Amino acid sequence: MSQRKSQKQETPPPYRVLHKLPQGDSPYVRAKHVQRELQLVEKNPDAAIGLFWKAINAGDRVDSALKDMAIIMKQQDRAEEAIEAVRSCRHLCSTHAQESLDNVLIDLYKKCGRLDEQIELLKQKLWMICHGEVFNGKATKTARSHGKKFQVTVKQETSRILGNLGWAYMQQGNFMAAEVVYRKAQMIDPDANKACNLSLCLIKLERNMEARSILLDALQGEFPGSDDPKARTRAEELLQGLVPGEASSLRSMGSAQRVEDAFIEGLDHLMNQWMPLRSKRLPIFEEISPFRDQLAC
């Protein structure tokens, strides 16, 4: 009896269960099986894409089918095609799928170098957070990455999106806008990676003394994630690239235009709720160069 029992315990789970594949024989289910085979043996992507199209046209789990198809298209360097597919079919998807489709589009825009569209969508996501349309009044929400679920706070999500927005501005060469966004992200939920990006913005703006101070703080463990080897290496490389003793370039901001748009105001409102003892408008946003058109939502 004990031998039979041990043999039953050692029996591996079915292929479908092992790889978390849905049950049935619908177009979506067949597409998921082909997608899994594609991940294992890296062949026949067109078959998976074709089956996902069939699932979408048949109304079979359209939310998942559209996202899965876009992922395969991106992997096959067909990101432009994936963008058009998502934009043309997202009206067929449920309301709760729209946020994740936005995330897919942001990733695709980044892949294609379509920075203006990436920036606009990131600002739209921030606007939705500011107006309570993402977390539904709750302090956290459930997110998913690589098949695993985890909880994300409003602060973490806001800071993450601001970090992505800052990086997109950097790719445009708009380092002044990137600095503003990274400073705001660091006020909300600081980390060593964004500190390095902020330092790079300052270096590009010839404000090396400010950059040096932030990098030294990162190396001294002043930010969460400072002990990450990649973050430390990057901070050390940026610091070594600075000329010793070089003075910071002082840029007069006395005549700069104040930013009074919905984007910054909305983030300030959130921060007032998180940090009620802080002043309503933090110093970095008192006087900033004309970013109204760039940062307005």
Side-chain angles (χ1 to χ4, degrees), residues 88-100:
S88 63
C89 296
R90 67 181 305 168
H91 70 282
L92 301 173
C93 298
S94 63
T95 301
H96 73 265
Q98 298 303 317
E99 184 185 352
S100 58

Side-chain angles (χ1 to χ4, degrees), residues 12-284:
Y15 179 87
R16 178 185 66 79
V17 176
L18 181 63
H19 297 291
K20 299 180 181 179
L21 294 170
Q23 189 173 9
D25 192 38
S26 69
Y28 176 76
V29 172
R30 292 197 296 272
K32 287 298 291 183
H33 279 266
V34 174
Q35 181 188 28
R36 181 56 190 168
E37 292 173 5
L38 174 63
Q39 293 170 342
L40 293 173
V41 299
E42 298 184 355
K43 67 178 182 180
N44 207 15
D46 291 336
I49 292 172
L51 286 169
F52 278 128
W53 270 124
K54 285 185 178 181
I56 293 168
N57 293 330
D60 180 22
R61 308 191 201 189
V62 179
D63 294 359
S64 298
L66 184 56
K67 287 183 284 186
D68 289 338
M69 183 178 72
I71 291 171
I72 294 180
M73 286 180 171
K74 179 192 171 187
Q75 292 170 344
Q76 300 300 314
D77 292 325
R78 296 164 62 179
E80 293 283 358
E81 185 180 347
I83 290 171
E84 295 308 312
V86 172
R87 292 170 65 168
S88 63
C89 296
R90 67 181 305 168
H91 70 282
L92 301 173
C93 298
S94 63
T95 301
H96 73 265
Q98 298 303 317
E99 184 185 352
S100 58
L101 288 172
D102 283 341
N103 293 334
V104 171
L105 275 177
I106 289 171
D107 198 32
L108 291 169
Y109 287 146
K110 183 178 180 180
K111 173 80 171 179
C112 297
R114 293 167 63 163
L115 294 173
D116 289 339
E117 289 158 298
Q118 181 186 352
I119 287 170
E120 286 306 310
L121 194 47
L122 286 167
K123 290 193 293 185
Q124 179 182 320
K125 288 178 72 67
L126 287 166
W127 185 92
M128 292 175 67
I129 292 176
C130 292
H131 289 76
E133 297 182 14
V134 176
F135 284 75
N136 298 318
K138 298 180 181 179
T140 64
K141 72 170 185 175
T142 302
R144 184 188 296 270
S145 178
H146 304 292
K148 296 182 179 180
K149 293 182 179 180
F150 55 95
Q151 293 297 308
V152 177
T153 67
V154 180
K155 287 185 180 182
Q156 289 171 334
E157 182 69 359
T158 304
S159 183
R160 183 188 69 83
I161 296 173
L162 283 169
N164 290 339
L165 180 60
W167 184 254
Y169 277 132
M170 287 179 68
Q171 302 313 297
Q172 283 188 329
N174 192 345
F175 297 106
M176 293 186 74
E179 179 202 349
V180 172
V181 173
Y182 275 125
R183 285 195 185 277
K184 195 64 149 179
Q186 288 293 81
M187 292 172 186
I188 295 172
D189 187 39
D191 65 52
N193 181 57
K194 290 194 291 288
C196 288
N197 287 338
L198 173 57
S199 298
L200 181 56
C201 291
L202 294 170
I203 292 170
K204 294 292 185 180
L205 294 171
E206 301 178 10
R207 291 156 58 189
N208 289 357
M209 287 182 65
E210 295 175 67
R212 184 187 302 278
S213 176
I214 294 172
L215 291 170
L216 288 174
D217 284 345
L219 290 173
Q220 291 170 5
E222 296 296 325
F223 303 107
S226 294
D227 56 347
D228 180 75
K230 290 183 179 179
R232 289 192 63 83
T233 299
R234 187 167 181 231
E236 289 169 353
E237 290 175 349
L238 288 171
L239 191 61
Q240 290 173 1
L242 296 176
V243 178
E246 184 176 351
S248 174
S249 174
L250 299 177
R251 295 171 178 264
S252 174
M253 302 182 72
S255 60
Q257 177 181 342
R258 290 182 64 184
V259 176
E260 295 290 349
D261 52 55
F263 172 57
I264 296 299
E265 290 294 337
L267 289 173
D268 282 345
H269 177 69
L270 275 183
M271 292 183 69
N272 287 341
Q273 295 177 338
W274 299 332
M275 296 172 285
L277 299 179
R278 302 286 294 272
S279 62
K280 181 178 179 181
R281 180 171 291 279
L282 295 169
I284 185 63

